[in-house]
Amino acid sequence: MSKPTHSRAESIARILPALNYRKIGLAFVVMFFFAFFISPIWTGFVTAFKTTGAVTSTTPFIPPGLDGFTLEKWSTAFDYLSRGMVNSLVMSVPSTIASVFLGSIAAYGLTLVDWNERLQFSILVLFLVGIFIPYQAVLVPLSDFWINIVGVDGLLEPLGNLPFFTARHSRLFAVTVTHVVYAIPICMLLFRGYYMSLSDELIEAAKIDGASITSIYRRIVLPLSKPMIGVVFIYQFTMIWNEFLFSLTLIGSSSSPAATVTLVLSGLGSDLTGVDFGLRMAGAFVAALPTLIIYVLFAEQFAEGLASDR
Amino acid sequence: MANLSLRDATKTFNDDGDEIVAVDNLNLEIEDGEFLVLVGPSGCGKSTTLRMVAGLETPTGGSINIDGEPIHRQTPQERDIAMVFQSYALYPHMTVYENMAFGLEESSDLPDDEIEERVHTAAEMLGITDLLDRKPGELSGGQQQRVALGRAIVRDPKVFLLDEPLANLDAKLRAEMRTELQQLQEDLGTTTIYVTHDQTEAMTMSDRIAILDGGTLQQVGTPMQCYHEPANVFVAGFIGEPSMNFFDVTLEDGVLVGDGFEYPLSEEALASVEGTTELVLGIRPENVEIGDDLSGPKEFSGVIDVIEPHGNENAVHLRFTEAATDETFTSTVDGMRHLTGGQSVGVSFPEDAIHLFDGTTGEALRNRIVEEVEQVQEIGTK
């Protein structure tokens, strides 16, 4: 026998899932942090659609009204940044691929190949030290090395006749190589963790099957590295794309034909008349677009690489 | 087709300054086409021995030869051997076909159609033709095991090395694969070393067994030799299921005095243990006879502790009535025979069936007398 009627409070309680203060508190904390992290992105996003007048007349995180809405900032930012984006792509893609590939080879040599263990360890330590060299400490010697010792400006001069190519573009080459060198240790470390968890018996089976060191890498280790390649590729591409200091030191100014997107972005929307916030925000989103695209393309491997936890 | 020999093969590992001897001066000759089983408890050095032959470990001393040619300085790639791992170690990103073809592609210059033919022949032999397009992850344990075997067979190597290949299968499949593997090896006639910790596998599959303990070789012989004429206490206890009963005894005036029993020895038996007084008396469970009445000096009164029925036979755990400790020994009797726990019975140890071991060294001084042993051995060695 059930009671024929319920009080109003009782029936609400029956609809709601079992709530207690702990759960409610948790929900509030999650919501707070969500708002905390999303608000700057949201504010930037709505600001990018505002006219210069609307930026000053409206609250930053309120979307613009119909009269204050414009797409002009986006097209301006895109026109302005496209040159830098091409330069950045020309620099980031090869240097990411090279550092992923070299990092993986180095990790293979330090984990799955049998040779002097002490020497292996010393080399590993050198790699680790490489990760912790601060960028700022090497800036002066780095530019001295590329510009005065290597003479990178003259190095690629024979290519000067190619369309769209000016001598200044050779600086991009310097930035590319610098990124590869700086990225190898961290890539090596990421791959090393993964390779250490690969079954030794797999490699041993391949050895007994007659496979050489190189063909074990090419036919067994590299195909099995796919999830990790996804992770390292996303990570490294984002790092290199967003990097500013090396570009600034080696390329110099945002007006250079070789300027990368971060360099161009630094000069975008600020001149003697003041700061154009709408343009800057639109520029920031345009500049971040390629990393988003890469993330979507590699998301599956990324998830797999993290989930496999190896 | 090859014979393999290990001469004084030694492997020591360095563990923070401590030297650990994994394999100690191992001498083994494996004839062409022979199926040798290396057996021993875990940590006895059997896997290390196998890995030395494979080239995955470098021996610290001694030599390993195939057809008289030393191979222990060669890399695994240079030795013409194939190995099946306990974990199977199939390449997870390749199909079964690619797994089997990999070794041929890497180690030989065979043209593609020849490789294809050999893979198909091997797959047919193992009944895995319809699995060739699948990835290892889609296969059951038993199927993976077959693929791992196929990968070894297809290479047609001089020596097969099998490292506990049946350990990950369930009991029924394991028994099936045991016969199949044995048949396969016989058909191929390839020299094979098979490592296992399971004495049943060792007994049933091998031409000869090599028993290792603590890195040293205890005995090499046919299964029947190892069973009936164990070289020492370790072998006697390791081979046979349920294992041999041991009693610590002292020899006093021609009588073995143990805990709860006194066993008079014949002149002949006394001669074989001459000079040793601390002895171990061993007798296999199937030789411990259980009777109802006590007559004769080699019968003792005992009490049944527990009975484990196996269907065809019962394993009976007994105690001597006059024993000071609770230690039990085992007897196997016919499954139809009716016995109950707590029952008092007469126990007899026929003198023909007893083994006597040196109490300090463990060495066998006298083994059981089996009339058929000669005959059995001949069948065993073929």
Side-chain angles (χ1 to χ4, degrees):
Chain A
M1 283 286 168
S2 59
K3 277 198 279 179
T5 50
H6 300 284
S7 73
R8 193 178 146 77
E10 261 178 343
S11 44
I12 289 174
R14 270 155 57 95
I15 294 165
L16 288 172
L19 282 179
N20 54 34
Y21 291 119
R22 214 182 120 80
K23 278 189 181 165
I24 294 169
L26 189 70
F28 272 111
V29 171
V30 169
M31 273 154 63
F32 170 76
F33 277 106
F34 178 75
F36 186 81
F37 284 109
I38 208 74
S39 59
I41 297 172
W42 170 253
T43 309
F45 190 68
V46 293
T47 307
F49 288 102
K50 289 176 185 174
T51 56
T52 315
V55 168
T56 44
S57 62
T58 58
T59 320
F61 55 84
I62 304 289
L66 273 180
D67 51 337
F69 179 84
T70 176
L71 286 174
E72 183 215 326
K73 306 291 181 192
W74 286 85
S75 59
T76 316
F78 200 80
D79 289 344
Y80 204 78
L81 287 173
S82 56
R83 173 177 51 96
M85 301 241 310
V86 170
N87 285 337
S88 271
L89 271 183
V90 164
M91 183 263 307
S92 306
V93 173
S95 61
T96 306
I97 291 172
S99 51
V100 168
F101 184 62
L102 291 173
S104 137
I105 287 184
Y108 171 65
L110 287 176
T111 51
L112 301 175
V113 180
D114 273 339
W115 51 290
N116 191 325
E117 270 182 29
R118 272 194 198 160
L119 206 57
Q120 263 186 350
F121 184 73
S122 337
I123 291 177
L124 178 66
V125 170
L126 280 181
F127 269 105
L128 294 180
V129 169
I131 296 176
F132 295 107
I133 296 176
Y135 280 21
Q136 292 81 347
V138 296
L139 289 180
V140 174
L142 190 70
S143 68
D144 197 38
F145 171 79
W146 279 116
I147 295 160
N148 298 331
I149 299 177
V150 177
V152 75
D153 288 336
L155 199 64
L156 298 179
E157 208 148 9
L159 298 175
N161 299 328
L162 291 175
F164 310 116
F165 194 89
T166 68
R168 294 290 289 175
H169 278 101
S170 59
R171 292 290 179 90
L172 266 185
F173 173 75
V175 179
T176 307
V177 174
T178 308
H179 278 308
V180 172
V181 172
Y182 241 93
I184 288 174
I186 185 74
C187 290
M188 189 283 298
L189 200 67
L190 290 167
F191 276 108
R192 183 174 177 271
Y194 185 71
Y195 290 162
M196 297 232 292
S197 68
L198 277 186
S199 140
D200 284 340
E201 291 195 342
L202 214 56
I203 308 300
E204 289 173 350
K207 275 187 199 164
I208 289 174
D209 268 346
S212 62
I213 290 181
T214 44
S215 52
I216 291 175
Y217 178 73
R218 194 169 46 83
R219 300 193 57 184
I220 309 285
V221 176
L222 200 58
L224 289 177
S225 311
K226 259 206 237 152
M228 206 60 209
I229 289 177
V231 172
V232 180
F233 194 90
I234 292 180
Y235 171 75
Q236 208 48 49
F237 183 84
T238 314
M239 291 290 280
I240 294 176
W241 182 270
N242 291 335
E243 204 279 332
F244 178 69
L245 212 49
F246 285 155
S247 301
L248 182 68
T249 327
L250 292 173
I251 296 166
S253 75
S254 59
S255 56
S256 159
T260 59
V261 71
T262 46
L263 266 184
V264 180
L265 190 65
S266 70
L268 181 68
S270 63
D271 51 33
L272 292 175
T273 59
V275 178
D276 185 344
F277 284 108
L279 185 58
R280 296 210 82 159
M281 292 307 147
F285 278 101
V286 169
L289 215 55
T291 55
L292 283 176
I293 291 169
I294 289 284
Y295 189 83
V296 171
L297 286 180
F298 281 86
E300 204 174 312
Q301 269 102 323
F302 190 73
E304 212 177 297
L306 290 180
S308 68
D309 194 34
R310 314 202 272 181
Chain B
M1 303 296 104
N3 64 345
L4 178 78
S5 69
L6 284 86
R7 304 236 163 81
D8 297 324
T10 303
K11 177 75 189 176
T12 55
F13 290 104
N14 211 335
D15 181 40
D16 287 332
D18 291 340
E19 267 207 348
I20 297 165
V21 182
V23 178
D24 192 8
N25 287 305
L26 184 65
N27 284 293
L28 265 182
E29 293 283 340
I30 300 137
E31 300 295 323
D32 185 10
E34 193 178 12
F35 195 123
L36 180 101
V37 173
L38 271 181
V39 68
S42 34
C44 72
K46 54 190 193 299
S47 284
T48 312
T49 307
L50 198 74
R51 292 170 59 82
M52 284 198 289
V53 176
L56 301 171
E57 304 281 357
T58 324
T60 19
S63 69
I64 299 168
N65 310 286
I66 289 182
D67 287 334
E69 282 200 28
I71 57 157
H72 56 278
R73 298 247 174 268
Q74 293 175 348
T75 63
Q77 288 91 339
E78 292 165 325
R79 308 177 187 196
D80 190 7
I81 45 172
M83 183 159 167
V84 176
F85 292 85
Q86 186 179 348
S87 67
Y88 314 139
L90 299 175
Y91 312 125
H93 58 295
M94 295 186 189
T95 63
V96 169
Y97 178 86
E98 287 165 338
N99 262 285
M100 288 171 72
F102 183 82
L104 287 175
E105 288 164 6
E106 291 295 334
S107 65
S108 70
D109 305 323
L110 292 177
D112 285 354
D113 51 343
E114 169 91 29
I115 290 179
E116 195 178 331
E117 198 192 306
R118 282 172 74 165
V119 171
H120 279 283
T121 316
E124 237 161 71
M125 208 188 282
L126 291 160
I128 50 171
T129 312
D130 47 341
L131 305 179
L132 285 176
D133 296 328
R134 302 227 208 133
K135 294 265 179 75
E138 304 162 25
L139 304 179
S140 71
Q143 289 170 329
Q144 289 187 15
Q145 211 273 333
R146 274 168 196 274
V147 176
L149 272 178
R151 199 168 63 175
I153 289 170
V154 82
R155 298 254 322 273
D156 191 19
K158 284 183 181 161
V159 180
F160 276 143
L161 305 176
L162 304 164
D163 189 2
E164 310 220 13
L166 307 184
N168 292 348
L169 301 180
D170 63 63
K172 190 164 178 289
L173 200 54
R174 197 180 314 153
E176 277 173 29
M177 281 308 287
R178 229 160 42 201
T179 0
E180 199 174 323
L181 205 59
Q182 200 179 359
Q183 188 65 51
L184 202 64
Q185 195 269 341
E186 220 158 88
D187 293 348
L188 296 167
T190 311
T191 314
T192 304
I193 307 184
Y194 184 104
V195 160
T196 180
H197 63 265
D198 181 352
Q199 63 91 27
T200 318
E201 279 175 27
M203 287 291 286
T204 52
M205 298 172 80
S206 63
D207 292 333
R208 282 194 305 157
I209 303 180
I211 300 138
L212 283 138
D213 183 40
T216 47
L217 187 63
Q218 305 293 318
Q219 186 171 7
V220 192
T222 63
M224 286 304 133
Q225 277 172 343
C226 295
Y227 189 76
H228 291 300
E229 298 166 23
N232 54 36
V233 175
F234 178 80
V235 175
F238 193 80
I239 300 288
E241 173 67 36
S243 53
M244 191 186 276
N245 298 301
F246 295 109
F247 306 94
D248 291 328
V249 290
T250 27
L251 185 61
E252 289 167 17
D253 299 329
V255 177
L256 296 173
V257 181
D259 180 22
F261 71 101
E262 288 186 3
Y263 190 92
L265 282 183
S266 67
E267 286 297 319
E268 188 213 343
L270 270 174
S272 59
V273 298
E274 201 183 358
T276 325
T277 52
E278 296 298 318
L279 295 164
V280 173
L281 169 70
I283 183 160
R284 295 217 175 263
E286 68 266 31
N287 299 122
V288 177
E289 288 170 10
I290 298 179
D292 298 323
D293 55 334
L294 294 172
S295 61
K298 292 175 185 178
E299 295 207 0
F300 318 98
S301 65
V303 181
I304 296 177
D305 210 21
V306 184
I307 300 168
E308 291 174 24
H310 290 278
N312 62 334
E313 56 176 33
N314 292 334
V316 183
H317 297 270
L318 305 123
R319 260 181 300 133
F320 287 122
T321 318
E322 288 156 33
T325 62
D326 288 355
E327 257 171 64
T328 62
F329 57 97
T330 318
S331 165
T332 47
V333 298
D334 191 274
M336 301 304 283
R337 191 163 161 194
H338 186 74
L339 294 168
T340 49
Q343 190 179 344
S344 291
V345 289
V347 181
S348 78
F349 297 166
E351 194 178 76
D352 280 359
I354 63 163
H355 299 256
L356 290 170
F357 304 95
D358 189 312
T360 41
T361 62
E363 231 170 281
L365 299 172
R366 177 195 161 87
N367 279 318
R368 65 167 309 179
I369 300 157
V370 185
E371 277 143 33
E372 320 89 279
V373 137
E374 297 296 318
Q375 225 181 337
V376 171
Q377 264 175 27
E378 270 160 36
I379 298 167
T381 47
K382 279 180 246 173

Short mmCIF file of all heavy atoms in Angstrom, two decimals, chain B residues 296-320:
data_model
loop_
_atom_site.label_atom_id
_atom_site.label_comp_id
_atom_site.label_asym_id
_atom_site.label_seq_id
_atom_site.Cartn_x
_atom_site.Cartn_y
_atom_site.Cartn_z
N GLY B 296 55.54 -59.76 8.04
CA GLY B 296 56.84 -59.53 7.43
C GLY B 296 57.49 -58.28 7.94
O GLY B 296 56.81 -57.35 8.39
N PRO B 297 58.81 -58.22 7.86
CA PRO B 297 59.58 -57.11 8.45
C PRO B 297 59.51 -55.82 7.63
O PRO B 297 59.90 -54.78 8.12
CB PRO B 297 61.00 -57.68 8.48
CG PRO B 297 61.04 -58.68 7.37
CD PRO B 297 59.66 -59.23 7.23
N LYS B 298 59.06 -55.88 6.38
CA LYS B 298 59.03 -54.65 5.57
C LYS B 298 57.64 -54.06 5.48
O LYS B 298 57.33 -53.32 4.56
CB LYS B 298 59.62 -54.93 4.20
CG LYS B 298 61.11 -55.20 4.34
CD LYS B 298 61.80 -55.61 3.10
CE LYS B 298 63.24 -55.94 3.49
NZ LYS B 298 64.05 -56.40 2.40
N GLU B 299 56.83 -54.39 6.42
CA GLU B 299 55.49 -53.81 6.48
C GLU B 299 55.32 -53.06 7.79
O GLU B 299 55.81 -53.48 8.83
CB GLU B 299 54.44 -54.90 6.36
CG GLU B 299 54.49 -55.58 5.01
CD GLU B 299 53.17 -56.14 4.59
OE1 GLU B 299 52.20 -56.00 5.38
OE2 GLU B 299 53.10 -56.69 3.50
N PHE B 300 54.61 -51.97 7.71
CA PHE B 300 54.45 -51.12 8.88
C PHE B 300 53.00 -50.76 9.02
O PHE B 300 52.23 -50.80 8.06
CB PHE B 300 55.29 -49.85 8.72
CG PHE B 300 56.64 -50.13 8.15
CD1 PHE B 300 56.89 -49.94 6.80
CD2 PHE B 300 57.64 -50.64 8.96
CE1 PHE B 300 58.13 -50.23 6.27
CE2 PHE B 300 58.87 -50.93 8.43
CZ PHE B 300 59.11 -50.73 7.09
N SER B 301 52.63 -50.35 10.23
CA SER B 301 51.23 -49.94 10.38
C SER B 301 51.13 -48.44 10.14
O SER B 301 51.97 -47.65 10.59
CB SER B 301 50.72 -50.31 11.78
OG SER B 301 51.42 -49.57 12.74
N GLY B 302 50.12 -48.07 9.40
CA GLY B 302 49.92 -46.65 9.08
C GLY B 302 48.46 -46.29 9.21
O GLY B 302 47.59 -47.15 9.37
N VAL B 303 48.23 -44.95 9.19
CA VAL B 303 46.87 -44.45 9.26
C VAL B 303 46.63 -43.57 8.05
O VAL B 303 47.48 -42.76 7.67
CB VAL B 303 46.66 -43.60 10.54
CG1 VAL B 303 45.22 -43.11 10.63
CG2 VAL B 303 47.04 -44.40 11.77
N ILE B 304 45.48 -43.73 7.44
CA ILE B 304 45.16 -42.90 6.28
C ILE B 304 44.74 -41.51 6.76
O ILE B 304 43.90 -41.38 7.63
CB ILE B 304 44.06 -43.54 5.42
CG1 ILE B 304 44.56 -44.86 4.85
CG2 ILE B 304 43.64 -42.59 4.30
CD1 ILE B 304 43.53 -45.62 4.06
N ASP B 305 45.33 -40.50 6.17
CA ASP B 305 45.04 -39.12 6.54
C ASP B 305 43.96 -38.55 5.62
O ASP B 305 42.87 -38.24 6.05
CB ASP B 305 46.34 -38.31 6.40
CG ASP B 305 46.39 -37.16 7.36
OD1 ASP B 305 45.66 -37.23 8.37
OD2 ASP B 305 47.15 -36.22 7.12
N VAL B 306 44.30 -38.42 4.35
CA VAL B 306 43.37 -37.85 3.37
C VAL B 306 43.43 -38.69 2.11
O VAL B 306 44.48 -39.26 1.78
CB VAL B 306 43.80 -36.40 2.98
CG1 VAL B 306 42.79 -35.77 2.05
CG2 VAL B 306 44.01 -35.54 4.20
N ILE B 307 42.32 -38.75 1.40
CA ILE B 307 42.32 -39.44 0.11
C ILE B 307 41.92 -38.45 -0.97
O ILE B 307 40.91 -37.75 -0.85
CB ILE B 307 41.32 -40.62 0.11
CG1 ILE B 307 41.72 -41.62 1.20
CG2 ILE B 307 41.29 -41.31 -1.25
CD1 ILE B 307 40.68 -42.65 1.48
N GLU B 308 42.75 -38.35 -2.02
CA GLU B 308 42.39 -37.51 -3.17
C GLU B 308 41.98 -38.41 -4.31
O GLU B 308 42.82 -39.06 -4.92
CB GLU B 308 43.61 -36.71 -3.65
CG GLU B 308 44.11 -35.64 -2.74
CD GLU B 308 45.41 -35.03 -3.27
OE1 GLU B 308 45.66 -35.11 -4.49
OE2 GLU B 308 46.18 -34.51 -2.46
N PRO B 309 40.71 -38.46 -4.65
CA PRO B 309 40.33 -39.32 -5.76
C PRO B 309 40.64 -38.65 -7.11
O PRO B 309 40.38 -37.47 -7.29
CB PRO B 309 38.81 -39.47 -5.58
CG PRO B 309 38.41 -38.56 -4.50
CD PRO B 309 39.58 -37.75 -4.05
N HIS B 310 41.25 -39.40 -8.02
CA HIS B 310 41.51 -38.88 -9.36
C HIS B 310 40.68 -39.63 -10.39
O HIS B 310 40.85 -39.46 -11.58
CB HIS B 310 42.99 -39.05 -9.72
CG HIS B 310 43.88 -38.14 -8.94
ND1 HIS B 310 44.09 -36.83 -9.28
CD2 HIS B 310 44.60 -38.36 -7.82
CE1 HIS B 310 44.92 -36.28 -8.40
NE2 HIS B 310 45.24 -37.18 -7.50
N GLY B 311 39.81 -40.52 -9.93
CA GLY B 311 39.01 -41.31 -10.86
C GLY B 311 39.64 -42.65 -11.12
O GLY B 311 39.24 -43.65 -10.53
N ASN B 312 40.67 -42.63 -11.96
CA ASN B 312 41.32 -43.90 -12.27
C ASN B 312 42.16 -44.41 -11.10
O ASN B 312 42.40 -45.60 -10.97
CB ASN B 312 42.17 -43.77 -13.53
CG ASN B 312 43.28 -42.76 -13.35
OD1 ASN B 312 43.17 -41.83 -12.53
ND2 ASN B 312 44.36 -42.91 -14.09
N GLU B 313 42.61 -43.48 -10.28
CA GLU B 313 43.40 -43.89 -9.13
C GLU B 313 43.14 -42.92 -7.98
O GLU B 313 42.63 -41.82 -8.20
CB GLU B 313 44.89 -43.90 -9.48
CG GLU B 313 45.37 -42.56 -10.01
CD GLU B 313 46.85 -42.51 -10.29
OE1 GLU B 313 47.41 -43.55 -10.66
OE2 GLU B 313 47.42 -41.43 -10.12
N ASN B 314 43.51 -43.35 -6.80
CA ASN B 314 43.39 -42.46 -5.65
C ASN B 314 44.77 -42.17 -5.10
O ASN B 314 45.60 -43.07 -4.99
CB ASN B 314 42.56 -43.11 -4.54
CG ASN B 314 41.10 -43.29 -4.94
OD1 ASN B 314 40.60 -42.54 -5.77
ND2 ASN B 314 40.46 -44.28 -4.37
N ALA B 315 45.00 -40.89 -4.77
CA ALA B 315 46.24 -40.58 -4.05
C ALA B 315 45.92 -40.61 -2.56
O ALA B 315 45.06 -39.86 -2.09
CB ALA B 315 46.75 -39.21 -4.47
N VAL B 316 46.58 -41.49 -1.86
CA VAL B 316 46.28 -41.67 -0.44
C VAL B 316 47.42 -41.08 0.38
O VAL B 316 48.58 -41.43 0.17
CB VAL B 316 46.12 -43.17 -0.10
CG1 VAL B 316 45.75 -43.35 1.37
CG2 VAL B 316 45.09 -43.81 -1.00
N HIS B 317 47.11 -40.16 1.28
CA HIS B 317 48.14 -39.59 2.16
C HIS B 317 48.09 -40.33 3.49
O HIS B 317 47.04 -40.42 4.13
CB HIS B 317 47.89 -38.10 2.36
CG HIS B 317 47.99 -37.33 1.09
ND1 HIS B 317 49.16 -36.79 0.62
CD2 HIS B 317 47.05 -37.07 0.15
CE1 HIS B 317 48.94 -36.20 -0.53
NE2 HIS B 317 47.68 -36.35 -0.86
N LEU B 318 49.24 -40.88 3.87
CA LEU B 318 49.29 -41.71 5.07
C LEU B 318 50.30 -41.20 6.07
O LEU B 318 51.18 -40.41 5.72
CB LEU B 318 49.72 -43.14 4.69
CG LEU B 318 48.96 -43.90 3.63
CD1 LEU B 318 49.92 -44.30 2.55
CD2 LEU B 318 48.30 -45.10 4.27
N ARG B 319 50.15 -41.70 7.30
CA ARG B 319 51.15 -41.43 8.34
C ARG B 319 51.51 -42.76 8.98
O ARG B 319 50.68 -43.67 9.08
CB ARG B 319 50.55 -40.51 9.40
CG ARG B 319 50.95 -39.07 9.27
CD ARG B 319 50.34 -38.23 10.36
NE ARG B 319 48.88 -38.28 10.34
CZ ARG B 319 48.14 -38.48 11.41
NH1 ARG B 319 48.70 -38.70 12.59
NH2 ARG B 319 46.83 -38.49 11.33
N PHE B 320 52.76 -42.88 9.44
CA PHE B 320 53.11 -44.06 10.23
C PHE B 320 52.46 -43.92 11.59
O PHE B 320 52.49 -42.83 12.19
CB PHE B 320 54.63 -44.17 10.40
CG PHE B 320 55.32 -44.59 9.15
CD1 PHE B 320 56.31 -43.79 8.58
CD2 PHE B 320 55.01 -45.80 8.53
CE1 PHE B 320 56.96 -44.19 7.43
CE2 PHE B 320 55.65 -46.20 7.38
CZ PHE B 320 56.63 -45.40 6.82
#
